[in-house]
Amino acid sequence: MDETWDLVVIGSGGAAMAAGIEARSRGKSVLLVEHTALGGTCLNVGCVPSKNLLAAAGHRHRALANPFPSVPTDAGGVDLAALMTQKQELIDRLRQAKYADVADAHGFPVCYGHAQFVDTQTLEVDGERVFAWAYVVATGSAARIPDLPGMGAVDPLTSTTAMELQDLPSSMVILGGGYVGLEQAQLWSHLGVAVTLVGRLAPYAEPEVADVLRAVFADDGITVVEERAVEVESTASGAVVVRTERGAEVTGQRLLVATGRCPNTASLGLDAAGVQTDDRGFVTVDEHQRTSNPRIFAAGDVTGAPQYVYVAAQTGHAAAAGALGQPTVVNYLGLPAVTFTTPQLASAGLTEQQALTAGHVCDVRVLDAKDIPRALANRDTRGALKLVIDATTRKVLGVHAALDGAGDVMLAATYAIKYGLTVDDLADTWAPYLTMSEAVRICAGLFRSDMPTSCCA
């Protein structure tokens, strides 16, 4: 700790690892400081465990909802404790291979302890001074519990604590219809739990694709109450009652809260460091990830950036570059997003309303999944894809889908938006037949004619 580092990074998730790799690529010395488990939110309690469990739940659901009666399938009960064990084994394996081994390969140590700034230039880790020319705060975020009447008496689950359950509850009420709430609702429903979701379903999705998931949830038996919760109460039997603004009451054995996240900044000493935060507590940064203290940069969820691990990584690279004297800006054009429900909700670029607000004269087309050969072959035509273009330039502004594998479709969409392709470019570009990505080409063709076409025509 007597050494003066070129860069000290607080955290060890996607943003922190990217910052460490960036610094080492420039030949600089770097130290990561982590006060809990190596790997941050995505590895330990976020993307990896939730998608692993969603995949397991999806296998069970597909067996129960098999569209091919000539190939009989069945699904029994769920050994949740064993499922959680295999989930933890995956986390442990990835922690070693993608974090510990990577840190060793790039040559930056990880110090375990609680970091706290004591002034504008000095950091302490468990009371021991650590000196650096610059710092990156990459401490992530945590699930936020809303301050509703009665919440303190019900022991709510979050997307973090739900990943540790050992027994399936008979029923569950989920607050929040954003991507976390949607994934959690379908995860537990597909494992056999009676689920009620309270809140607006997919509030930021295009209405045409949100309607697809709304119908799928109805097919899955998930009750959706699209109202705002105003009160919760614990019953004598230990169940939870949620009341809404319009007087609806829903009851479940457990309550899971998915109503947003808050930054992990407690006891970091940001005030002492002269680092400003916004009214929600997120660290305020400029376009180069610099905080109000010119020696301190911040990256990832703690800044209120879009909460995707690939955004965290890009901002981590930019923060380290800026801290080491080469200011860098993250380009968010065509940023993709995926909600890992079945079917997946995915998007890249602007919604129709966002495009109009930005001053574009828009044209849009919506392709129903019943016109996608891959969906027909799968015997599941619940889905849609929407293209948003500038009517003058015909450049692609946004692609939005509710489809099996919609997330994979978004890579092509991101390329199209980032590199300024037109809808004619998409319509005239090869698309492999009987893939879901072919939907982009088919939908692009609708801007030329709404007449039906033959396969690949």
Side-chain angles (χ1 to χ4, degrees):
M1 293 297 188
D2 294 334
E3 179 179 353
T4 297
W5 302 86
D6 293 313
L7 186 69
V8 168
V9 183
I10 307 171
S12 68
M17 291 294 291
I21 291 170
E22 181 69 31
R24 292 297 297 139
S25 74
R26 296 168 180 268
K28 303 299 184 179
S29 63
V30 59
L31 173 72
L32 265 62
V33 180
E34 174 56 63
H35 77 138
T36 55
L38 181 69
T41 297
C42 180
L43 172 67
N44 292 294
V45 297
C47 317
V48 170
S50 64
K51 277 50 173 182
N52 174 257
L53 295 176
L54 274 165
H59 278 289
R60 179 178 184 273
H61 179 71
R62 284 191 292 275
L64 292 171
N66 177 19
F68 297 93
S70 56
V71 184
T73 59
D74 60 68
V78 174
D79 185 342
L80 189 62
L83 189 60
M84 293 298 179
T85 297
Q86 68 81 29
K87 175 264 298 181
Q88 189 59 47
E89 289 170 350
L90 173 65
I91 292 171
D92 294 342
R93 187 165 65 251
L94 288 178
R95 182 183 296 120
Q96 184 63 44
K98 296 299 183 181
Y99 293 84
D101 290 350
V102 169
D104 288 343
H106 286 271
F108 55 83
V110 180
C111 169
Y112 290 92
H114 181 74
Q116 183 175 19
F117 289 102
V118 294
D119 57 39
T120 58
Q121 303 182 49
T122 311
L123 188 74
E124 284 188 352
V125 179
D126 288 347
E128 187 174 353
R129 295 259 169 131
V130 178
F131 301 97
W133 295 110
Y135 302 90
V136 172
V137 176
T139 50
S141 63
R144 179 179 64 85
I145 304 296
D147 186 21
L148 292 179
M151 186 64 75
V154 300
D155 187 26
L157 295 166
T158 67
S159 58
T160 296
T161 57
M163 298 295 95
E164 302 301 328
L165 286 176
Q166 298 297 300
D167 299 294
L168 285 176
S170 59
S171 57
M172 182 181 291
V173 179
I174 296 177
L175 296 188
Y179 70 94
V180 174
L182 295 175
E183 290 181 355
Q184 291 291 321
Q186 209 172 50
L187 163 61
W188 296 106
S189 174
H190 286 180
L191 290 176
V193 177
V195 172
T196 301
L197 185 145
V198 177
R200 184 182 169 193
L201 186 144
Y204 305 111
E206 288 282 57
E208 296 88 346
V209 298
D211 284 345
V212 171
L213 198 63
R214 195 171 279 113
V216 168
F217 271 33
D219 291 343
D220 286 354
I222 299 172
T223 301
V224 178
V225 180
E226 297 200 56
E227 301 177 22
R228 184 172 60 89
V230 295
E231 183 183 14
V232 297
E233 179 184 347
S234 179
T235 69
S237 64
V240 178
V241 177
V242 175
R243 297 184 178 89
T244 73
E245 58 189 338
R246 297 179 185 173
E249 289 191 359
V250 295
T251 303
Q253 183 183 349
R254 296 301 304 266
L255 173 68
L256 191 154
V257 174
T259 53
R261 298 182 68 79
C262 56
N264 289 326
T265 56
S267 303
L268 274 181
L270 295 184
D271 288 342
V275 173
Q276 295 177 358
T277 58
D278 65 17
D279 56 1
R280 299 178 299 158
F282 290 95
V283 176
T284 303
V285 295
D286 66 12
E287 62 178 355
H288 305 300
Q289 308 300 133
R290 182 186 290 106
T291 73
S292 52
N293 181 332
R295 291 184 62 168
I296 301 175
F297 289 66
D301 289 4
V302 76
T303 68
Q307 294 185 351
Y308 310 115
V309 69
Y310 42 94
V311 171
Q314 286 296 101
T315 59
H317 282 291
L324 297 171
Q326 187 173 339
T328 303
V329 176
V330 176
N331 181 3
Y332 288 96
L333 182 64
L335 178 69
V338 186
T339 300
F340 288 86
T341 47
T342 301
Q344 293 175 357
L345 288 188
S347 66
L350 303 178
T351 65
E352 182 179 359
Q353 186 56 56
Q354 288 170 338
L356 291 170
T357 301
H360 294 279
V361 178
C362 291
D363 198 2
V364 303
R365 295 291 187 275
V366 177
L367 177 70
D368 193 285
K370 70 180 183 340
D371 294 317
I372 303 173
R374 177 73 259 175
L376 293 167
N378 289 348
R379 294 185 62 119
D380 187 352
T381 57
R382 301 173 301 173
L385 183 140
K386 180 175 182 177
L387 272 175
V388 181
I389 71 168
D390 184 290
T392 303
T393 65
R394 295 180 70 81
K395 286 186 177 181
V396 179
L397 301 176
V399 183
H400 309 269
L403 294 171
D404 179 29
D408 295 321
V409 174
M410 289 306 126
L411 181 58
T414 298
Y415 289 158
I417 297 165
K418 181 173 181 178
Y419 296 107
L421 299 186
T422 68
V423 70
D424 299 297
D425 292 326
L426 296 185
D428 293 334
T429 297
W430 293 112
Y433 182 52
L434 285 177
T435 66
M436 201 60 77
S437 61
E438 186 185 21
V440 176
R441 186 193 67 81
I442 298 171
C443 192
L446 296 178
F447 287 88
R448 295 174 171 174
S449 171
D450 58 2
M451 295 292 289
T453 64
S454 179
C455 295
C456 298

